[in-house]
Amino acid sequence: MSMKPWRCSICGKRKSSQNAVYGHARDAHKKPAEAIKVVRKNDDDESYADRAIEADIDRAAGIYNPDQEWLLP
């Protein structure tokens, strides 16, 4: 399981708890957000496609992700 299994429904930023997502949304977005639990069967089997999708979401949210440099066009 990922160390940060909760994701903000507005920007996709990951947090370690549901309450952390609520606090992030209140502070960063000034409005409530849904806390979405990211469930994976096995984090060790993460594919390049999964990493590219997460890097693209992070780039759209303005979050630096080192995978952006080599996985995204």
Side-chain angles (χ1 to χ4, degrees):
M1 179 63 62
S2 174
M3 295 297 291
K4 295 183 178 181
W6 293 93
R7 182 176 294 229
C8 173
S9 64
I10 296 172
C11 69
K13 188 164 186 167
R14 290 179 163 222
K15 297 292 183 181
S16 58
S17 72
Q18 190 174 17
N19 285 336
V21 172
Y22 296 145
H24 156 76
R26 182 187 64 240
D27 297 340
H29 305 300
K30 308 296 184 217
K31 61 182 177 180
E34 293 291 318
I36 301 168
K37 178 122 184 190
V38 178
V39 178
R40 288 204 173 126
K41 291 183 181 178
N42 189 352
D43 269 347
D44 295 337
D45 292 338
E46 185 174 45
S47 70
Y48 287 125
D50 292 334
R51 290 176 63 178
I53 290 167
E54 288 197 24
D56 193 38
I57 290 169
D58 287 346
R59 180 170 58 183
I63 302 167
Y64 175 73
N65 181 331
D67 287 341
Q68 295 170 359
E69 298 169 2
W70 67 282
L71 281 174
L72 300 180

